[in-house]
Amino acid sequence: MSRNYYIAGNWKMHKTRSEAAELAKALAAQLKDGKHRYLAAPSFTLLETVAPILKGTNIRLGAQNCAAEEQGAHTGEVSVLQLKDLGVQTVILGHSERRHVYREDDALINKKVKLALSHGFEVILCIGELLEEREAGKAEQVCEVQTVKGLDGVSAADLDRVVLAYEPVWAIGTGKTATPEDADAIHGFVRRVIARLYGPAAAEKIIIQYGGSVKPENAAALMAKENIDGALVGGAALKAETFVPIAKFG
Ligand code: 13P
């Protein structure tokens, strides 16, 4: 397989500045010789602390969201210009917590995707079905709609800076991981959706991460699957002891 593995840590709403600095330093030191691509995505308030620690390392700096507008009267929002100013390279968009807790819809997510890409960011676009959608046999349909709508208007050239993350909502923070076979089936399906939209070469190239209770114990089995190209890690990304073994699987 020619795709490089890409292991990302989504720190969600955890850590103070000193805790974040400690984790970033540990990751920088322990992943120095890591073979894969890496990213850490701390909260907005931690970016300025973490940026200088990751600068010049093999760990990219990510944000967990951005506003859909460039700037203006948007109380409580954070702009791509502000993220760029801090040295952020990647923005995670459409995370299930944004979709389901904060009611972000595909149109809003698509607007953010296009804005972030237009400012040169890499985007990790998250997709994934709810438990009831999976039980109703709609997992593929949900992932297809989120992919197609999320990427609406994204050019083939810009797709080079898009990573997809399949995060079945029922597997996030629950300790329930999708089996490698079930995850791979959705990844393969989504890759075929990309092939339909952008052609087979783009589909072969695009990185599709899996997220949802990835742990040191299950990472290698997931990554061994043909269509799983990395991980978006939540809980296990909060400690170097659990993130580093995932990041150095294999
Ligand atoms: P957990 O690894 O805690 O299940 O979280 C996954 C996730 O949502 C990463 O974005």
Side-chain angles (χ1 to χ4, degrees):
M1 188 182 77
S2 57
R3 296 181 295 270
N4 288 332
Y5 287 107
Y6 188 6
I7 315 290
N10 173 6
W11 297 2
K12 304 194 181 183
M13 198 175 69
H14 293 284
K15 299 197 183 286
T16 60
R17 286 177 297 167
S18 61
E19 291 164 350
E22 191 186 339
L23 176 59
K25 282 179 195 159
L27 295 179
Q30 294 176 44
L31 292 180
K32 213 169 38 205
D33 58 345
K35 305 190 294 277
H36 310 308
R37 293 182 66 206
Y38 305 118
L39 172 125
S43 298
F44 294 132
T45 57
L46 306 173
L47 289 167
E48 193 165 9
T49 302
V50 170
I53 300 170
L54 298 187
K55 196 167 183 197
T57 72
N58 58 349
I59 308 171
R60 297 172 68 88
L61 182 63
Q64 299 171 16
N65 190 16
C66 69
E69 305 293 335
E70 206 164 81
Q71 60 188 327
H74 295 282
T75 303
E77 294 287 299
V78 175
S79 129
V80 282
L81 301 175
Q82 295 166 327
L83 297 179
K84 211 189 285 188
D85 188 42
L86 289 169
V88 170
Q89 298 156 294
T90 301
V91 187
I92 298 172
L93 292 169
H95 190 278
S96 75
E97 287 142 26
R98 300 304 318 170
R99 290 179 188 270
H100 299 294
V101 184
Y102 297 99
R103 300 275 162 224
E104 292 194 9
D105 63 14
D106 287 309
L108 180 71
I109 293 162
N110 174 249
K111 206 169 166 190
K112 294 181 177 194
V113 167
K114 286 189 291 198
L115 181 66
L117 289 171
S118 76
H119 282 273
F121 290 94
E122 172 182 79
V123 165
I124 298 180
L125 172 62
C126 303
I127 59 169
E129 81 285 358
L130 296 162
L131 182 59
E132 55 265 37
E133 292 166 336
R134 172 157 285 259
E135 285 173 346
K138 291 186 178 157
E140 288 189 350
Q141 188 192 324
V142 169
C143 291
E144 177 170 4
V145 168
Q146 292 176 349
T147 302
V148 172
K149 291 191 172 174
L151 294 176
D152 185 37
V154 171
S155 69
D158 280 353
L159 191 76
D160 276 349
R161 280 181 288 116
V162 175
V163 170
L164 295 173
Y166 169 57
E167 299 205 303
V169 181
W170 47 271
I172 296 178
T174 56
K176 277 188 219 160
T177 320
T179 64
E181 291 68 29
D182 284 349
D184 191 52
I186 295 285
H187 284 227
F189 170 78
V190 171
R191 208 178 288 288
R192 291 193 291 281
V193 172
I194 296 296
R196 197 181 74 216
L197 297 174
Y198 292 95
E204 180 56 32
K205 209 160 121 196
I206 197 163
I207 300 290
I208 310 179
Q209 298 171 327
Y210 168 79
S213 300
V214 177
K215 308 222 166 347
E217 303 77 51
N218 58 26
L222 287 159
M223 299 306 126
K225 289 291 175 193
E226 173 62 26
N227 287 296
I228 303 182
D229 312 317
L232 184 52
V233 185
L238 296 175
K239 287 186 182 155
E241 300 93 275
T242 43
F243 188 72
V244 169
I246 296 170
K248 288 189 164 175
F249 82 90

